[in-house]
């Protein structure tokens, strides 16, 4: 009996091993040795024999085993595997403490085994392709690909499903379009990785398509096993992070405002538009009529380009509590960033960024310091084209500047520019001998056409902005060369010509009517009043804009000479080892014609005061033009001079082996000019400027001063009287400014600490203690790795018409920002914290903190000056990140006025 059972088992193994998919026969392969007829009757399998397989047999071998024991039940046709049991079939792998394999019905049962303490060990682990789940017990049919598992835990990307009972159906191998499907009862799905989840969505029925979608019926949110009153009638959640699909974008915030009512922020829908483009439509909706919408699109084509586009519109309805009226404020935002890959095109490039907003959009919609304090917006988008082998290139650009404080906007579009490279017209193609001086003459040409729009951010997209647009063109041609003179001097001749075309000019007329200011004076009982008038001006100047082509031309020629002179002082000992002074003198002779010549028609005069017809103002008909206007300096035959001083030193401390080079003063520049062609005021004011850096570059100092050899009259105009003749001063002090900018980071702080002198420690124990203290200091400073402190202060001195010099502090502010990671789970953020010492007030402080709660995050942000705050307990970013508990006050309900 035992022999028959053994033979049956071996035959079954052979059948399973030689089974082939989609066939019921197997041809025996001939052996390399011939078989004799006498031995044929004793051979089980001969060449040419055909094995008949059952249609119910598996299409691949089954591999199984166990480390403890394996029991074969031939009557029941089952195999019992104990201890680290496993069964492998195609891409299916099953591990468990106990497995029963029913080979007749192609079924496998698996469950854990209790240890001596009763704890279950060897919980079944099922793997099929990229699908992995654990269960307390399970049953699976190899033939049908269906199974049932109990108390299962499976993960689909970041979603973890805990099911009491789950039925799964494997995808058919013959059908490439089919998918694995899981049907669960009484299941909880969550993104919490804890063995006992901290939260989840509980539903009676669920369907999971791995790597695609989770579909649930009526479900309820549970937090720490406590059901909440939050119900969902149904839900579906995409769980494939590698593919894009259309779906709902859950709101980022749930708000309540006294002004706006209950609202949702950033709720919308996602659309994948083809292979390279995404589109997300989001909206802010409030019950009292405030709403906003924005569309954002990301696009990318590998090795070609990438970018993102965002268009936002906001409409705010605010109630006036005193009058019960409503006001509506609309604002618009457009941001676009485009980047072309370096190898996308050999001779053309397109890219840049655009950031345009109307009616203070970012300050109305957001509360964070980065958006509120960003007072300057700018854009620059350009297309550049060059021609290989050709000495010229073309560019077309869009650029704009916008000041949020003054609400002014300036846009240049389109802006075309054509320019040539350096051209050497006199250079010989085949040079023989040394290069001649005229061969170094360089010609350059630049042509530009520009259209400019200027307006406020509230009237940007109106007809008036189009009507006031300015457009023009200019041509710049220059020729220059450079060569040595007397071995140590550089001589640089230069000639330049500019021609400007404009289609707008101005004409000023005088209106003799006085400009009056009315003032109403009431009696004590307010029953009578009297109107008085104050004369502000005796006449006014009216400006008319004339359409039509007008042009002006500028010409200048210069000859400059410069050299470099070095002086060094060496010291043998001490901290200061050497001192070096580099002087860069430069003189130049500049000629330009008299643009005030009436025959040119560039300038005109208009009366200033009706009491004195001879009192006139000179103006250029091109004032306000897109490329400026001609200079009003008259004829120039000026000798300009400039002295640039650079001071450096070498220092060596006791702990240094090599002297270090440091910069004392980067540039100390003094310059001015003398105009031979002027009939008076031949000397120009003398300017002095310098920059220096201190504390290893942490502080930058800038200084500028203006000194005048002439005096001023009572009206503040320069007159042709030397200060030496009037007050025995070679140069009269006019104005000066001094600016200090300090920017400290952790790296700079550490550099300062490391630059201090350290005591020599001879004892080994003391040296180790010193290293430990230094390591602790570095660990403390590492908390402020992303923290920066900046201080800006500037002073100014100005001489008035009375000859007295007045001192003023222009600005004096201290600002901090950054993040401090206190512990692994606690972090403090400072969006901005500053104090304006001049105005004696805080400069929009913004604080916050974050607490990591495993699968949750608690965060708080507060802007005390604006009166806004937000508090959130939310699920970490992922499929279920829409689950959150928000509480906040927005800018509509804040006490601050913005």
């Amino acid at each position: 009996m035992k022999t028959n059972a053994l033979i049956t088992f071996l035959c079954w193994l052979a059948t399973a091993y030689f089974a082939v998919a989609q066939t019921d026969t197997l041809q025996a392969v001939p052996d390399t040795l011939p078989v004799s007829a006498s031995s044929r009757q004793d051979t089980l399998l001969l060449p040419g024999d055909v094995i008949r397989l059952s249609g119910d047999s598996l299409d691949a071998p089954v591999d199984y085993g166990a480390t403890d024991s394996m029991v074969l039940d031939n009557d029941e046709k089952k195999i019992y595997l104990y201890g680290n049991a496993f069964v492998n079939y195609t891409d299916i792998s099953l591990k468990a403490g106990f497995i029963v394999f029913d080979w007749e019905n192609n079924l496998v049962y698996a469950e854990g085994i209790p240890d001596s303490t009763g704890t279950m060990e060897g919980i079944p682990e099922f793997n099929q392709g990229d699908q992995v789940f654990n269960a307390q017990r399970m049953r699976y049919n190899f033939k049908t690909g269906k199974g049932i598992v109990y108390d299962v835990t499976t993960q689909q990307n970041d979603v973890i499903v805990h099911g009491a009972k789950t039925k799964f159906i494997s995808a058919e191998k013959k059908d490439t379009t089919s998918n694995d499907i899981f049907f669960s009862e009484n299941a909880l799905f969550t993104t919490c990785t804890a063995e006992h989840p901290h939260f989840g969505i509980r539903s009676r029925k669920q369907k999971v398509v791995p790597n695609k979608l989770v579909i649930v019926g009526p479900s309820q949110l549970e937090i720490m096993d406590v059901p909440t009153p939050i119900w969902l009638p149904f839900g579906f959640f995409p769980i494939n992070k590698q593919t894009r699909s259309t779906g709902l974008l859950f709101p980022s915030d749930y708000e309540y405002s006294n002004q706006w009512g209950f609202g949702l922020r950033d709720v919308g829908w996602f659309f994948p538009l083809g292979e390279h483009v995404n589109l997300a439509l989001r909206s802010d909706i409030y019950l009292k009529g405030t709403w906003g919408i924005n569309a954002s699109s990301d696009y990318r084509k590998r090795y070609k380009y990438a970018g993102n586009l965002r268009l936002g519109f906001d409409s705010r309805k605010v109630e006036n509590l005193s009058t019960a009226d409503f006001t509506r404020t609309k604002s618009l935002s457009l941001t676009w960033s485009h980047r072309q890959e370096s190898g996308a095109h050999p001779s053309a490039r397109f890219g840049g960024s655009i950031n345009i907003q109307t009616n203070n959009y970012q300050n109305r919609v957001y509360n964070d310091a980065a958006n509120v304090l960003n007072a300057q917006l700018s854009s620059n988008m350009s297309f550049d084209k060059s021609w290989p082998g050709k000495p010229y290139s073309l560019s077309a650009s869009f650029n704009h500047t916008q000041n949020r404080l003054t609400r002014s906007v300036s846009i240049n579009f389109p802006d075309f520019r054509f320019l040539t490279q350096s051209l050497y017209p006199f250079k010989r193609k085949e040079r023989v001998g040394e290069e001649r001086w005229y061969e170094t003459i360089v010609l350059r040409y630049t042509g530009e056409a520009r259209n400019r729009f200027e307006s406020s951010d509230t009237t940007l997209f109106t007809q008036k902005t189009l009507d006031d647009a300015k457009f023009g063109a200019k041509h710049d041609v220059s020729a220059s060369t450079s060569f040595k003179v007397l071995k140590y001097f550089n001589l640089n001749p230069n000639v330049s010509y500019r021609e400007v075309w404009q289609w707008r000019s101005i004409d000023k007329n005088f209106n003799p009517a006085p400009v009056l200011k009315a003032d109403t004076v009431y009696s004590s009982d307010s029953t009578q009043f009297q109107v008085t008038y104050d004369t502000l001006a005796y006449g006014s100047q009216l400006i008319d804009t004339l359409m039509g082509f007008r042009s002006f031309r500028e010409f200048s020629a210069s000859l400059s000479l410069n050299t470099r002179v070095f002086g060094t002082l060496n010291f043998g000992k001490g901290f200061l080892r050497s001192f070096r002074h580099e002087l860069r003198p430069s003189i130049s002779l500049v000629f330009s014609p008299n643009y005030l010549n009436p025959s040119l028609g560039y300038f005109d005069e208009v009366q200033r005061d009706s009491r004195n017809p001879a009192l006139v103002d000179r103006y250029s008909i091109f004032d306000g033009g897109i490329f400026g206007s001609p200079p009003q300096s008259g004829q120039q035959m000026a000798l300009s001079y400039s002295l640039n001083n650079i001071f450096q030193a070498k220092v060596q401390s006791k702990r240094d082996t090599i002297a270090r080079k440091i910069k004392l003063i980067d540039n100390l520049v003094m310059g001015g000019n003398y105009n031979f062609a002027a009939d008076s005021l031949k000397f120009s004011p003398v300017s002095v400027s310098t920059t220096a850096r201190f504390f290893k570059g942490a502080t930058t100092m800038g200084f500028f001063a203006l000194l005048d050899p002439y005096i001023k009259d009572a009206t503040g105009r320069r007159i042709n009287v030397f200060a030496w003749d009037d007050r025995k001063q070679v140069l009269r002090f006019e104005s000066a400014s001094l600016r200090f900018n300090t920017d400290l980071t952790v790296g700079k702080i550490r550099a300062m600490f490391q630059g201090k002198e350290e005591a020599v420690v001879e004892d080994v124990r003391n040296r180790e203690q010193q290293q430990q203290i230094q390591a602790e200091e570095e660990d403390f400073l590492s908390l402020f790795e992303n923290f920066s402190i900046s201080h800006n202060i500037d002073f100014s001195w100005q001489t008035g018409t009375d000859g007295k010099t007045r001192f003023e502090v222009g600005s004096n502010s201290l600002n901090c920002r950054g993040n401090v990671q206190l512990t692994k789970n606690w972090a403090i953020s400072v969006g901005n914290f500053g104090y304006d010492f001049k105005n004696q007030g805080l400069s929009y402080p913004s604080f916050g903190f974050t607490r990591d709660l495993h699968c949750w995050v608690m965060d708080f942000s507060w802007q005390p000056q604006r009166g806004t705050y937000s508090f959130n307990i939310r699920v970490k970013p992922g499929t279920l990140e829409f689950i959150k508990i928000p509480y906040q006050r927005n800018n509509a309900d804040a006490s601050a006025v913005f």
Side-chain angles (χ1 to χ4, degrees):
M1 182 66 181
K2 295 182 179 180
T3 303
N4 294 334
L6 179 60
I7 294 175
T8 302
F9 176 65
L10 293 176
C11 291
W12 179 86
L13 288 180
T15 302
Y17 182 78
F18 289 106
V20 179
Q22 300 179 354
T23 182
D24 59 353
T25 61
L26 179 65
Q27 187 72 29
V29 180
D31 192 74
T32 54
L33 297 177
V35 181
S36 61
S38 60
S39 61
R40 181 180 177 93
Q41 59 184 359
D42 300 327
T43 304
L44 294 175
L45 186 63
L46 299 178
D49 287 347
V50 176
I51 299 177
R52 301 288 181 179
L53 301 181
S54 171
D56 297 331
S57 63
L58 299 177
D59 55 3
V62 178
D63 183 23
Y64 58 90
T67 58
D68 189 347
S69 59
M70 181 174 62
V71 178
L72 173 66
D73 187 347
N74 187 50
D75 293 336
E76 296 292 333
K77 298 184 179 180
K78 295 180 180 180
I79 300 177
Y80 299 87
L81 307 173
Y82 296 89
N84 295 326
F86 67 90
V87 174
N88 298 325
Y89 170 70
T90 61
D91 61 342
I92 298 174
S93 173
L94 175 63
K95 299 178 182 178
F98 172 67
I99 295 178
V100 180
F101 181 36
D102 184 349
W103 74 76
E104 182 178 20
N105 298 312
N106 300 317
L107 292 174
V108 62
Y109 305 86
E111 61 182 14
I113 298 178
D115 60 8
S116 58
T117 63
T119 303
M120 297 297 294
E121 291 185 345
I123 300 300
E125 179 183 331
F126 183 85
N127 292 266
Q128 182 176 18
D130 57 352
Q131 304 302 318
V132 180
F133 58 81
N134 298 309
Q136 294 296 323
R137 52 195 177 95
M138 66 164 297
R139 181 181 66 187
Y140 183 75
N141 190 311
F142 289 110
K143 189 66 177 177
T144 62
K146 299 178 180 180
I148 296 179
V149 293
Y150 300 88
D151 298 326
V152 63
T153 301
T154 182
Q155 182 168 354
Q156 305 295 328
N157 292 317
D158 64 334
V159 176
I160 302 173
V161 181
H162 299 265
K165 181 180 179 181
T166 300
K167 178 181 179 181
F168 65 93
I169 303 174
S170 300
E172 297 184 12
K173 298 180 180 179
K174 298 180 181 180
D175 186 2
T176 58
T177 62
S178 62
N179 299 284
D180 297 339
I181 300 177
F182 294 82
F183 297 94
S184 300
E185 294 181 2
N186 190 24
L188 179 80
F189 74 97
T190 178
T191 55
C192 181
T193 58
E195 183 177 354
H196 193 77
H198 299 136
F199 81 98
I201 297 179
R202 176 79 65 181
S203 61
R204 293 179 58 88
K205 295 182 179 181
Q206 289 184 350
K207 178 180 178 180
V208 179
V209 181
N211 293 324
K212 286 192 175 182
L213 197 66
V214 175
I215 304 173
V216 300
S219 53
Q220 185 179 19
L221 176 65
E222 289 186 5
I223 300 178
M224 303 299 292
D225 293 334
V226 178
T228 67
I230 301 177
W231 281 84
L232 297 175
F234 64 91
F236 54 96
F237 308 93
I239 56 175
N240 192 347
K241 302 298 183 182
Q242 298 179 352
T243 61
R244 305 169 302 149
S245 59
T246 300
L248 177 69
L249 297 174
F250 285 90
S252 62
D253 280 312
Y254 315 94
E255 295 183 347
Y256 177 78
S257 167
N258 292 329
Q259 286 277 7
W260 302 334
F262 180 79
L264 303 176
R265 290 180 65 94
D266 293 332
V267 60
W269 202 265
F270 177 82
F271 303 90
L273 305 179
E275 181 181 357
H276 306 290
V277 184
N278 294 334
L279 175 63
L281 295 178
R282 294 181 175 89
S283 62
D284 303 334
I285 305 174
Y286 296 88
L287 295 183
K288 290 187 178 181
T290 292
W291 61 278
I293 186 172
N294 68 77
S296 59
S297 176
D298 296 322
Y299 58 90
R300 179 180 181 85
K301 190 171 183 180
R302 195 174 183 183
Y303 306 124
K304 293 294 184 180
Y305 53 80
N308 58 79
L309 174 67
R310 185 181 185 276
L311 180 64
F313 177 79
D314 184 76
S315 177
R316 308 237 156 183
K317 184 178 180 181
V318 181
E319 180 182 5
N320 189 330
L321 299 180
S322 60
T323 61
D325 294 333
F326 291 92
T327 59
R328 183 171 292 277
T329 304
K330 300 178 181 180
S331 56
L332 182 68
S333 171
L334 170 64
T335 59
W336 181 25
S337 175
H338 181 86
R339 184 185 75 256
Q340 179 177 311
E341 299 295 341
S342 58
H345 198 283
S347 60
R349 186 169 184 83
F350 175 73
S353 62
I354 294 177
N355 185 6
I356 299 178
Q357 299 177 5
T358 66
N359 206 14
N360 228 351
Y361 177 90
Q362 64 183 21
N363 195 27
R364 296 181 183 275
V365 178
Y366 304 104
N367 294 320
D368 59 285
N371 281 290
V372 174
L373 298 179
N374 184 17
Q376 195 73 26
L377 304 178
S378 61
S379 305
N380 189 5
M381 185 75 69
S382 63
F383 170 79
D384 301 292
K385 172 66 178 176
S386 61
W387 287 264
K390 303 295 183 181
Y392 47 80
S393 60
L394 175 68
S395 67
S397 64
F398 170 96
N399 58 80
H400 114 286
T401 57
Q402 181 174 349
N403 190 304
R404 189 180 61 81
L405 300 179
T406 62
R407 312 292 289 269
S408 61
V409 182
S410 177
I411 297 177
N412 293 323
F413 176 77
D415 189 348
F416 296 100
R417 179 175 295 182
F418 178 84
L419 66 157
T420 65
Q421 300 174 2
S422 299
L423 304 176
Y424 297 89
F426 305 109
K427 180 172 288 188
R428 292 169 290 175
K429 295 183 179 180
E430 297 181 2
R431 191 179 70 183
V432 179
E434 295 183 357
E435 187 178 46
R436 298 168 185 174
W437 69 269
Y438 57 82
E439 291 186 277
T440 61
I441 296 178
V442 182
L443 291 180
R444 296 181 179 89
Y445 167 79
T446 301
E448 186 173 359
R450 182 182 300 170
N451 190 42
R452 176 177 294 169
F453 304 93
E454 293 179 336
S455 70
S456 66
D457 65 354
T458 56
T459 61
L460 180 59
F461 298 102
T462 61
Q463 184 63 38
K464 185 178 184 304
T465 303
L466 296 177
D467 295 338
D468 295 340
K470 301 176 182 179
F471 44 92
K474 71 172 182 176
H475 308 270
D476 287 305
V477 182
S478 64
S480 63
T481 185
S482 177
F483 48 85
K484 289 285 187 180
V485 175
L486 301 177
K487 189 178 180 180
Y488 298 106
F489 296 89
N490 297 317
L491 187 63
N492 306 294
N494 181 77
V495 178
S496 63
Y497 172 81
R498 168 178 288 192
E499 183 170 333
V500 176
W501 299 346
Q502 292 187 182
W503 280 262
R504 287 176 183 263
S505 58
I506 64 172
D507 181 45
K508 291 186 178 182
N509 299 301
F510 181 72
N511 180 10
V515 180
L516 303 177
K517 177 183 178 181
D519 188 14
T520 304
V521 180
Y522 289 88
S523 62
S524 58
D525 57 358
S526 301
T527 59
Q528 297 179 356
F529 65 90
Q530 181 180 3
V531 179
T532 62
Y533 295 91
D534 294 332
T535 303
L536 300 180
Y538 293 91
S540 59
Q541 296 176 357
L542 305 178
I543 302 177
D544 294 330
T545 301
L546 305 179
M547 302 299 296
F549 177 80
R550 299 298 295 267
S551 64
F552 67 88
R553 297 155 190 84
E554 296 180 35
F555 171 81
S556 66
S558 65
L559 186 66
S560 63
L561 186 70
N562 61 76
T563 187
R564 300 170 66 182
V565 181
F566 299 90
T568 304
L569 290 176
N570 295 317
F571 307 95
K573 298 180 180 180
F575 175 74
L576 181 62
R577 296 303 175 94
S578 65
F579 177 82
R580 181 180 181 181
H581 175 210
E582 180 182 350
L583 177 64
R584 299 180 180 179
S586 175
I587 59 173
S588 59
L589 184 63
V590 180
F591 168 80
S592 62
N594 181 15
Y595 300 106
L596 300 177
N597 190 337
S599 62
L600 297 176
Y602 295 167
F603 293 90
D604 202 348
E605 294 179 345
V606 60
Q607 185 177 340
R608 181 195 300 180
D609 197 318
S610 60
R611 297 170 299 178
N612 186 2
L615 190 62
V616 296
D617 289 330
R618 181 188 295 120
Y619 71 94
S620 172
I621 66 172
F622 300 99
D623 282 346
I626 194 170
F627 291 112
S629 59
Q632 299 188 33
S633 56
Q635 184 178 353
Q636 292 285 317
M637 179 62 74
L639 180 66
S640 301
Y641 58 90
S642 173
L643 298 175
N644 187 4
N645 301 268
I646 301 175
F647 299 94
Q648 297 176 332
K650 283 188 177 181
V651 296
Q652 184 174 354
S653 61
K654 294 181 179 180
R655 63 185 182 90
D656 292 332
T657 58
I658 301 176
R660 295 181 293 109
K661 181 186 294 185
I662 61 174
K663 287 185 176 181
L664 301 177
I665 298 179
D666 291 346
N667 293 282
L668 175 58
V669 184
M670 181 175 63
N673 65 74
Y674 178 84
N675 187 9
F676 294 96
D679 56 357
S680 62
L681 302 174
K682 294 178 181 284
F683 285 98
S684 72
V686 178
S687 63
V688 180
S689 63
T690 185
T691 58
R693 292 177 174 85
F694 310 102
F695 310 115
K696 296 186 177 181
T699 299
T700 301
M701 182 271 291
F703 174 78
F704 178 81
L706 198 63
L707 308 173
D708 199 337
Y710 300 101
I711 65 172
K712 288 185 176 181
D713 61 11
T715 62
R717 294 190 304 174
R718 301 174 73 210
I719 60 177
N720 196 35
V721 177
F722 286 106
W724 177 262
D725 297 333
D726 182 72
R727 59 191 71 175
K728 301 303 179 182
Q729 293 179 353
V730 178
L731 295 173
R732 179 184 58 84
F733 177 80
E734 176 66 24
S735 63
S737 64
L738 179 63
R739 181 185 67 256
F740 291 93
N741 295 329
T742 302
D743 189 7
L744 291 174
T745 61
V746 172
K748 292 180 180 179
I749 293 175
R750 287 179 175 174
M752 292 179 186
F753 281 117
Q754 294 172 358
K756 292 183 176 180
E757 293 291 335
E758 298 179 356
V760 179
V761 182
E762 297 182 356
D763 184 68
V764 176
R765 181 178 301 175
N766 292 340
R767 185 182 297 113
E768 292 177 352
Q769 291 177 355
Q770 185 184 12
Q771 292 176 354
Q772 182 179 359
I773 293 174
Q774 183 178 359
E776 291 177 356
E777 291 178 352
E778 291 180 354
D779 291 340
F780 174 75
L781 290 177
S782 65
L783 293 176
F784 302 89
E785 191 68 31
N786 298 320
F787 208 83
S788 65
I789 303 174
S790 61
H791 177 246
N792 300 316
I793 185 171
D794 62 81
F795 311 96
S796 63
W797 295 263
Q798 183 71 41
T799 301
T801 56
D802 56 359
K804 296 182 179 180
T805 301
R806 293 173 175 81
F807 170 76
E808 182 182 0
V809 178
S811 65
N812 184 11
S813 61
L814 179 69
N815 287 276
C816 309
R817 64 185 61 202
N819 301 318
V820 180
Q821 190 73 35
L822 295 178
T823 65
K824 179 181 179 182
N825 298 323
W826 278 101
I828 296 177
S829 63
V830 180
N832 182 75
F833 176 70
Y835 186 80
D836 191 332
F837 295 94
K838 181 182 179 181
N839 299 320
Q840 298 182 354
L842 297 175
S843 57
Y844 197 79
S846 177
F847 308 99
F849 71 81
T850 303
R851 175 68 165 93
D852 191 326
L853 301 171
H854 188 253
C855 52
W856 294 76
V857 174
M858 178 177 64
D859 58 64
F860 173 77
S861 65
W862 177 41
Q863 300 79 33
Q865 191 177 46
R866 193 182 181 102
T868 58
Y869 58 81
S870 66
F871 176 80
N872 293 285
I873 299 179
R874 53 185 172 84
V875 174
K876 285 186 176 180
T879 302
L880 304 181
E881 62 183 1
F882 64 91
I883 300 177
K884 63 187 307 182
I885 304 174
Y887 182 77
Q888 60 187 351
R889 181 168 67 175
N890 52 41
N891 47 29
D893 301 319
S895 58
V897 179
F898 64 97

